[in-house]
Amino acid sequence: RWFTHFYVVSVLWNGFLLICLFRAEFLGESFPLWIQDMHHALGRDSQSEDMGNEHFSALLVLLLLWLHSCRRLAECLWTSVFSSGVIHVVQYCFGLGYYIAVGSTVLCQVPTNVRNGKKLSVQICWYHIIGVMMYIWASLHQHRCLAILANLRKNKSGKVVSLSHSIPFGDWFESVSCPHYFAELLIYVSLAITLGIHNVTWWCVVMYVLFNQALAAVLCHEFYQKKFSSYPKHRKAFIPLVF
C-alpha cells in the first residue's frame, strides 16, 4: 500500500515538469535556472540542434507518464485491496527516487533553452499515433487486471471480505500470472515508440522495467504454483507464450 506514496510524488513532480515544458514550448518561456543547471549536470548540451518534433514527442511522453501516475494513484486509493505485506526501506527510497528520475529523464531528452522566445510547431507523426494507441490499450488491460485482483477480495456488493490470495481468472490472466506487470512493460514500450523509437536513453529505462517486472512476475508465479496445487499449468509468468 505504500506504493501509493510513489504515485503521489510522481503526480506532483511530473505534473510540475509537464507544466514547465508546456510553458516553455507553447509560451516561449525559459525553464527555471535550477532545471537548466540540472540538465547541464546531466550532460545535456542546451545549445544542441533545435528539433521541434522531438520537443513535441517529449511533451507527449511526459503527459502520458503523468496520466499513468494519476491512474495508478487512483487505483491504489479506490481499486486495489492491499494485504498486510511490507516493503523494504531501501526499495521504498529507491521507488521514490525512481519516479523523480523518470520524469527528469524525459525532460533531459530536449535542450532547455534553444526554443526560448519561440512557440512549438506541433507535428503529429505516425509513431505518436501508434505509441498513444498502444499506451491506451495496455493501460486498459492493466486496469482490468488490477480490478480482477481486487475483486477476489470483495463480495458482490464491493465490500472487502478477505485479504487472502486466490487464483485470478479473466482477461490476460488466462495467459500469464502477472498480466499487470506485462502491461506495465508495454506502457513503457509505448512511450519509447512515442519518443520516436530511436531514443537510446528511454530504451534503457524500458530494459530496467523489463528486468524489474520480470523478476517480480517470476516470484509471484512461483508463489501461485506453491500455494495452489490446481494452478493452471499452461500459464506463463510474465510474457504470454514466451516467459
Side-chain angles (χ1 to χ4, degrees):
R1 63 170 57 87
W2 278 31
F3 271 56
T4 304
H5 300 177
F6 300 164
Y7 299 118
V8 169
V9 170
S10 182
V11 168
L12 295 176
W13 171 249
N14 293 315
F16 168 73
L17 295 181
L18 179 62
I19 291 173
C20 288
L21 186 56
F22 180 88
R23 294 174 67 90
E25 300 297 357
F26 284 98
L27 303 179
E29 297 183 4
S30 300
F31 282 97
L33 289 177
W34 62 271
I35 290 184
Q36 296 189 36
D37 292 339
M38 178 183 69
H39 275 59
H40 180 72
L42 293 174
R44 179 62 180 181
D45 182 9
S46 62
Q47 298 299 328
S48 60
E49 184 181 356
D50 183 12
M51 299 290 290
N53 203 46
E54 291 183 357
H55 284 70
F56 177 67
S57 298
L59 182 65
L60 185 57
V61 167
L62 197 55
L63 173 62
L64 295 177
L65 183 63
W66 180 75
L67 290 175
H68 175 64
S69 300
C70 289
R71 177 180 61 82
R72 290 294 294 119
L73 176 59
E75 289 167 343
C76 285
L77 294 175
W78 297 300
T79 301
S80 299
V81 180
F82 299 103
S83 64
S84 58
V86 297
I87 184 174
H88 195 282
V89 63
V90 174
Q91 184 183 8
Y92 178 75
C93 293
F94 181 84
L96 292 176
Y98 170 79
Y99 282 99
I100 292 175
V102 71
S104 304
T105 300
V106 177
L107 198 63
C108 286
Q109 302 313 298
V110 295
T112 58
N113 62 5
V114 295
R115 298 194 63 85
N116 289 351
K118 302 178 183 179
K119 292 185 179 180
L120 178 66
S121 176
V122 177
Q123 297 179 355
I124 299 178
C125 298
W126 61 269
Y127 50 81
H128 295 148
I129 297 174
I130 293 177
V132 171
M133 290 179 62
M134 183 177 179
Y135 170 88
I136 295 173
W137 174 66
S139 297
L140 287 174
H141 278 285
Q142 187 177 56
H143 176 74
R144 290 174 187 170
C145 293
L146 290 171
I148 289 172
L149 288 175
N151 289 334
L152 291 175
R153 296 176 171 177
K154 300 177 182 179
N155 57 22
K156 293 183 179 180
S157 63
K159 182 180 179 181
V160 177
V161 294
S162 173
L163 295 181
S164 62
H165 292 84
S166 303
I167 301 177
F169 293 94
D171 205 78
W172 287 353
F173 278 110
E174 300 302 323
S175 301
V176 292
S177 296
C178 301
H180 47 308
Y181 295 156
F182 178 54
E184 185 81 1
L185 173 63
L186 293 181
I187 288 171
Y188 277 84
V189 170
S190 73
L191 298 181
I193 294 174
T194 305
L195 270 176
I197 303 178
H198 61 276
N199 192 289
V200 177
T201 300
W202 193 258
W203 281 112
C204 290
V205 176
V206 172
M207 291 302 295
Y208 163 77
V209 174
L210 169 63
F211 289 113
N212 176 273
Q213 299 297 291
L215 174 61
V218 168
L219 294 175
C220 186
H221 184 67
E222 292 176 348
F223 169 81
Y224 278 130
Q225 290 178 322
K226 292 179 181 179
K227 184 174 179 63
F228 303 105
S229 58
S230 61
Y231 193 73
K233 298 185 181 301
H234 68 276
R235 288 189 189 179
K236 299 296 184 180
F238 183 44
I239 302 176
L241 305 177
V242 178
F243 175 70

